[in-house]
Amino acid sequence: MHFYRLITCGVAVKEAAVQRGVHMLIAILNHIALFFICLFCLCGLYRLFFLFVPLFFKKKAHKEEKIHRIGILISARNEEKTLPYLLDSIAKQDYPKEMLSVFVAADNCDDDTARIAAESGATVFSRQNKRRTGKGYALNFLLGEIHRTLPTEDLPDAYIICDADNVLDAHYVSEMNRMYSDGYQVVTGVRNTKNFGESWVSAGYGLFFMGESQCMNRARMRLGSDAVVSGTGFLCDRALIENTGGWQFFSPADDTEFTAFCLLRGTRIGYAEEAILYNENPASFSDSLRQRSYWTKGHLRVLGHYGGSLLKMSVCKARFAPADMLLSLFFFAFFGLVALISSLFTTIVTFALGALTVTVFVERLFLILAFPYFLFFLYGVYILISEWPRIHAPTSKKLFSAFTYPLFMFSNLPLVVTAAFDRAIWRKVERSSYLSLDDDFRPRDRRTGDPEPDGTARPADNKTEAEPPEEKTVAEAPSGKDGAENVSPENENNADNKE
């Protein structure tokens, strides 16, 4: 009997120890999840603060404007269908025509991109290099050719870098020049969407980029800080490019890399809140995932290369702009991902250990997912209300986008993990809308260019890419001038040596 009591007592002690261990494990997991949730909420409050800045800080007056010589750089790869609309919007700018020039890099093209650009009056340089592919290499090549062929007195004072699928508002160059005259060496504008109503995916892009422009960059300007370059259509001072030896930003997230570079060297980045650029975004979820995975890979590279320097400048020199970039672009997404994963993991482990009933387990899972959904929903509603006239889509699709925007943002979270193991390979996104400033931004038939009566665009025929010709560099003069063929491998060799 005494022996039986000893065994029973030992079992009870062992069970109590196990229970204490389980409770300790659950407590540790809960504290870890709570820690990252608090960090995510702090980053969220930081972004929330930016929403109210324009209400209390007024826009600063511009300095006396000077009309500068502006060059527009376009990197185009098989863009014979989209490029004419960008060139048309450039031709309709209210900026003095004699102070505006267009340069196109027909990069690894096997269509009529070069011919179409030359006929529009642009100066075209054709490039064939399958080893050095991507926008960064094409821009570096294009700038090298411009400086090689033009006399110094004819070089632009600044360049605006555009993608072939962009469409510029008629006042775009004028607004960018106004900020450039204020002393900013780099200026970015409003990134709007021309195919917002095509799908919930394109609408998600539209709300995100409009928020980054009008909610974040506008507040940065009101606070006297520096903007963050997002995507395309930004202006860059020629002297800045010359001092860096051309365009030396080749990562998948070249805009983020360029922003980090400018902040570290003290280059001021301005934001022209009336300069509107319309960009086409992927409409299919699969294309969107590939593109955002490519961008995320670039962001991780930038964080690895510049993150330490940005953090050091933020702490040691008490600079707001680099800290702002780290918080808004990197830490917000990272803390959000870790908070979500740790919360889900803690809940699942707690349930598996028998500390939760099925009902409580389901309720916790719902709250973990519902809380960030509600936050992103409110943010989407705020953007819709504040920028309603600028968003070109039917009312029903605008309202619907507020409910799907959180899903779009959720889909970014796993990309942070997959991008760390995925190869950064650029893949062309098929276009579905070919629009000019005179259009109503409805999806268009990809073969005829006519508006679709049902509001959707039919898919284009699949084409097999032709074999690339021999590598060479060709400079094509605008229509009305004699074309000249120039072989200049020096520029590509420079890129090879500097990579």
Side-chain angles (χ1 to χ4, degrees):
M1 189 69 177
H2 180 69
F3 179 73
Y4 176 75
R5 288 178 180 177
L6 287 176
I7 294 176
T8 305
C9 182
V11 171
V13 170
K14 185 177 181 179
E15 289 180 351
V18 171
Q19 288 296 326
R20 284 196 299 271
V22 169
H23 289 307
M24 184 177 297
L25 175 62
I26 293 174
I28 292 173
L29 292 176
N30 280 325
H31 281 85
I32 292 174
L34 182 61
F35 173 73
F36 284 105
I37 289 173
C38 290
L39 290 177
F40 173 71
C41 290
L42 286 175
C43 291
L45 289 174
Y46 172 76
R47 295 177 72 92
L48 179 64
F49 163 73
F50 272 46
L51 301 183
F52 294 96
V53 166
L55 300 178
F56 302 99
F57 294 85
K58 300 303 179 183
K59 184 178 179 180
K60 297 180 180 178
H62 290 287
K63 298 179 181 178
E64 183 179 354
E65 184 177 4
K66 175 185 175 183
I67 302 299
H68 296 90
R69 190 185 297 273
I70 304 292
I72 297 181
L73 307 182
I74 305 170
S75 173
R77 182 174 182 179
N78 292 332
E79 299 285 1
E80 62 180 4
K81 294 182 179 179
T82 57
L83 185 59
Y85 299 102
L86 170 59
L87 297 173
D88 177 66
S89 68
I90 294 173
K92 294 178 180 178
Q93 293 295 303
D94 60 5
Y95 201 72
K97 298 297 185 290
E98 66 276 8
M99 302 297 285
L100 188 62
S101 52
V102 182
F103 304 94
V104 177
D107 185 32
N108 292 304
C109 293
D110 48 37
D111 64 357
D112 288 333
T113 296
R115 179 185 61 80
I116 291 173
E119 289 177 353
S120 73
T123 301
V124 184
F125 297 97
S126 295
R127 171 183 183 267
Q128 291 293 336
N129 189 332
K130 295 298 183 182
R131 293 183 301 109
R132 307 288 183 185
T133 59
K135 177 181 174 181
Y137 292 107
L139 288 175
N140 189 52
F141 158 81
L142 182 57
L143 287 164
E145 292 301 296
I146 292 171
H147 284 248
R148 185 180 65 84
T149 57
L150 291 182
T152 304
E153 60 272 15
D154 292 339
L155 290 174
D157 300 312
Y159 297 104
I160 295 178
I161 299 174
C162 292
D163 288 346
D165 63 341
N166 298 155
V167 174
L168 307 181
D169 180 78
H171 313 293
Y172 192 83
V173 177
S174 297
E175 294 295 333
M176 299 293 275
N177 180 72
R178 185 169 296 158
M179 289 298 295
Y180 183 48
S181 299
D182 288 343
Y184 293 98
Q185 286 186 281
V186 178
V187 183
T188 187
V190 181
R191 188 173 178 179
N192 207 330
T193 302
K194 61 183 180 182
N195 63 329
F196 187 98
E198 188 170 358
S199 74
W200 69 275
V201 177
S202 60
Y205 276 101
L207 289 177
F208 176 80
F209 287 123
M210 185 63 77
E212 290 300 300
S213 297
Q214 290 294 77
C215 296
M216 301 299 291
N217 275 341
R218 179 169 57 179
R220 292 177 179 121
M221 286 294 95
R222 303 291 174 89
L223 293 173
S225 183
D226 293 293
V228 171
V229 175
S230 177
T232 183
F234 56 92
L235 178 145
C236 182
D237 182 57
R238 173 169 60 89
L240 176 62
I241 294 179
E242 291 176 345
N243 291 337
T244 58
W247 188 259
Q248 301 300 315
F249 310 98
F250 306 114
S251 76
D254 57 342
D255 53 347
T256 305
E257 183 182 6
F258 180 61
T259 300
F261 171 81
C262 290
L263 293 180
L264 289 174
R265 73 188 307 272
T267 302
R268 296 303 311 276
I269 305 176
Y271 172 64
E273 60 184 74
E274 298 299 329
I276 304 175
L277 173 146
Y278 297 93
N279 186 64
E280 180 177 350
N281 296 310
S284 75
F285 189 63
S286 59
D287 284 344
S288 171
L289 284 180
R290 285 195 296 269
Q291 184 186 70
R292 285 182 286 154
S293 179
Y294 182 73
W295 289 348
T296 304
K297 185 74 174 182
H299 288 148
L300 293 177
R301 287 184 184 178
V302 173
L303 181 61
H305 188 72
Y306 293 96
S309 300
L310 290 170
L311 184 61
K312 182 178 179 180
M313 177 177 280
S314 305
V315 176
C316 298
K317 297 185 179 180
R319 289 288 304 278
F320 174 74
D324 168 45
M325 182 179 182
L326 288 173
L327 283 171
S328 59
L329 290 184
F330 300 116
F331 292 164
F332 181 72
F334 174 76
F335 291 148
L337 174 65
V338 177
L340 181 62
I341 292 177
S342 60
S343 299
L344 290 173
F345 180 76
T346 300
T347 302
I348 293 172
V349 170
T350 305
F351 175 72
L353 293 175
L356 292 179
T357 64
V358 175
T359 303
V360 176
F361 173 68
V362 174
E363 288 178 352
R364 284 199 180 182
L365 288 180
F366 174 78
L367 289 175
I368 289 171
L369 297 175
F371 177 67
Y373 179 93
F374 183 67
L375 292 180
F376 286 127
F377 171 77
L378 290 180
Y379 185 64
V381 169
Y382 177 87
I383 298 171
L384 282 174
I385 293 174
S386 60
E387 303 299 325
W388 186 272
R390 287 184 170 182
I391 299 176
H392 300 272
T395 300
S396 59
K397 293 191 174 183
K398 290 184 185 180
L399 297 175
F400 183 67
S401 68
F403 295 93
T404 57
Y405 179 65
L407 303 179
F408 176 82
M409 296 302 296
F410 282 159
S411 66
N412 283 320
L413 297 178
L415 297 180
V416 178
V417 178
T418 59
F421 306 99
D422 190 23
R423 292 182 60 194
I425 301 176
W426 177 85
R427 297 180 179 88
K428 182 178 175 63
V429 176
E430 293 299 327
R431 312 297 183 190
S432 59
S433 57
Y434 305 105
L435 306 171
S436 70
L437 286 175
D438 298 327
D439 292 313
D440 56 4
F441 293 93
R442 284 182 293 166
R444 302 239 152 192
D445 187 289
R446 298 178 61 183
R447 288 184 289 265
T448 66
D450 297 327
E452 288 290 346
D454 60 352
T456 58
R458 295 192 296 271
D461 297 329
N462 294 326
K463 294 184 179 180
T464 304
E465 187 173 339
E467 289 296 321
E470 266 183 25
E471 182 173 337
K472 62 181 180 178
T473 302
V474 181
E476 299 184 23
S479 59
K481 298 180 181 180
D482 295 331
E485 184 171 310
N486 301 300
V487 179
S488 69
E490 301 88 2
N491 195 34
E492 290 296 297
N493 291 335
N494 290 338
D496 294 350
N497 294 332
K498 292 176 181 177
E499 187 185 37

